[in-house]
Amino acid sequence: MIPRWLLELLGKADGDLMAGGYRFVSVDGDRVRRQLRTAGRPYVQPGGIAPPLDALDETARLVVSQSRFKNTALSGFAGLAGAPSLPPEIAARSVSLIRLAQRLAIVYGFEPETDRGRTALWQALAAGQRGGEQPP
């Protein structure tokens, strides 16, 4: 039987690893907002008035397009290595997906650094994996 103190220690280490991993792959929200501002792209500024939804959707399409271009290039290079590149490519795609979701959250006014923003982010990712269906 595993001692309770060891189970608690492993549970804490596992939680810290997940939180640290999320922070490691996360985008810098301030940097993303600066890039959007510099490009003249509308987004919901913290504490500000939201631009029209169609303008936000246009910014989101641009963010998705840029991400698609980067992922296509990454996949092309990884494909040159053949089957051995599959596990690293899966990890890279997962990180890319999280970072894209964070950028889109910022466009629509969610802060991925906050509990509310992370919750919205993970709900959106889960919905995307279900094909946009609502949970039962």
Short mmCIF file of all heavy atoms in Angstrom, two decimals, residues 3 24 35 49 55 72-73 81-82 85 92 98 112 117 124:
data_model
loop_
_atom_site.label_atom_id
_atom_site.label_comp_id
_atom_site.label_asym_id
_atom_site.label_seq_id
_atom_site.Cartn_x
_atom_site.Cartn_y
_atom_site.Cartn_z
N PRO A 3 1.87 4.95 0.96
CA PRO A 3 1.54 5.85 2.07
C PRO A 3 0.78 7.09 1.57
O PRO A 3 1.02 7.59 0.46
CB PRO A 3 2.89 6.26 2.64
CG PRO A 3 3.89 5.33 2.06
CD PRO A 3 3.29 4.76 0.82
N PHE A 24 4.09 27.39 -19.59
CA PHE A 24 5.23 27.30 -20.50
C PHE A 24 4.81 27.46 -21.96
O PHE A 24 5.51 28.09 -22.74
CB PHE A 24 5.95 25.96 -20.31
CG PHE A 24 7.13 25.77 -21.21
CD1 PHE A 24 8.31 26.47 -20.99
CD2 PHE A 24 7.07 24.89 -22.27
CE1 PHE A 24 9.40 26.30 -21.83
CE2 PHE A 24 8.15 24.72 -23.11
CZ PHE A 24 9.32 25.42 -22.89
N GLN A 35 0.40 43.24 -30.75
CA GLN A 35 0.44 42.86 -32.17
C GLN A 35 -0.87 43.22 -32.87
O GLN A 35 -0.85 43.73 -33.99
CB GLN A 35 0.72 41.36 -32.30
CG GLN A 35 2.12 40.96 -31.92
CD GLN A 35 2.31 39.46 -31.83
OE1 GLN A 35 1.35 38.71 -31.62
NE2 GLN A 35 3.55 39.01 -31.99
N ILE A 49 -14.84 48.90 -24.43
CA ILE A 49 -16.09 48.60 -25.12
C ILE A 49 -15.77 47.65 -26.27
O ILE A 49 -14.82 47.87 -27.02
CB ILE A 49 -16.74 49.90 -25.65
CG1 ILE A 49 -17.08 50.80 -24.47
CG2 ILE A 49 -17.96 49.59 -26.49
CD1 ILE A 49 -17.58 52.17 -24.85
N ALA A 55 -16.53 42.56 -36.77
CA ALA A 55 -15.14 43.02 -36.81
C ALA A 55 -14.25 42.06 -36.02
O ALA A 55 -13.13 41.74 -36.44
CB ALA A 55 -15.03 44.44 -36.25
N THR A 72 0.99 24.48 -41.26
CA THR A 72 1.24 23.81 -42.53
C THR A 72 2.75 23.70 -42.76
O THR A 72 3.25 22.65 -43.16
CB THR A 72 0.57 24.57 -43.69
OG1 THR A 72 -0.84 24.61 -43.45
CG2 THR A 72 0.84 23.90 -45.03
N ALA A 73 3.46 24.77 -42.48
CA ALA A 73 4.92 24.75 -42.64
C ALA A 73 5.54 23.73 -41.68
O ALA A 73 6.41 22.95 -42.08
CB ALA A 73 5.49 26.14 -42.39
N ALA A 81 10.75 13.85 -42.12
CA ALA A 81 11.41 12.86 -41.27
C ALA A 81 10.65 11.54 -41.24
O ALA A 81 11.16 10.56 -40.72
CB ALA A 81 11.55 13.40 -39.85
N GLY A 82 9.44 11.52 -41.75
CA GLY A 82 8.67 10.28 -41.80
C GLY A 82 8.04 9.92 -40.46
O GLY A 82 7.78 10.77 -39.62
N SER A 85 8.78 11.23 -36.78
CA SER A 85 8.42 12.59 -36.40
C SER A 85 7.00 12.68 -35.85
O SER A 85 6.59 13.74 -35.38
CB SER A 85 8.57 13.53 -37.58
OG SER A 85 7.56 13.28 -38.54
N ALA A 92 3.56 19.16 -30.96
CA ALA A 92 3.62 20.50 -31.52
C ALA A 92 2.24 20.99 -31.95
O ALA A 92 1.88 22.15 -31.73
CB ALA A 92 4.59 20.53 -32.71
N ILE A 98 -3.53 25.02 -28.49
CA ILE A 98 -3.72 25.77 -27.24
C ILE A 98 -3.40 27.24 -27.47
O ILE A 98 -4.15 28.13 -27.06
CB ILE A 98 -2.87 25.18 -26.10
CG1 ILE A 98 -3.43 23.82 -25.69
CG2 ILE A 98 -2.82 26.13 -24.91
CD1 ILE A 98 -2.53 23.04 -24.75
N PRO A 112 -6.76 34.51 -20.88
CA PRO A 112 -6.34 33.14 -20.61
C PRO A 112 -5.54 32.97 -19.32
O PRO A 112 -5.40 31.87 -18.82
CB PRO A 112 -5.48 32.76 -21.82
CG PRO A 112 -5.84 33.73 -22.88
CD PRO A 112 -6.28 34.98 -22.19
N GLY A 117 -10.98 32.96 -17.81
CA GLY A 117 -10.48 32.82 -19.17
C GLY A 117 -10.04 31.41 -19.49
O GLY A 117 -10.31 30.89 -20.58
N ALA A 124 -14.10 25.80 -24.85
CA ALA A 124 -14.07 25.98 -26.30
C ALA A 124 -13.27 24.87 -26.97
O ALA A 124 -13.69 24.33 -28.02
CB ALA A 124 -13.48 27.34 -26.65
#
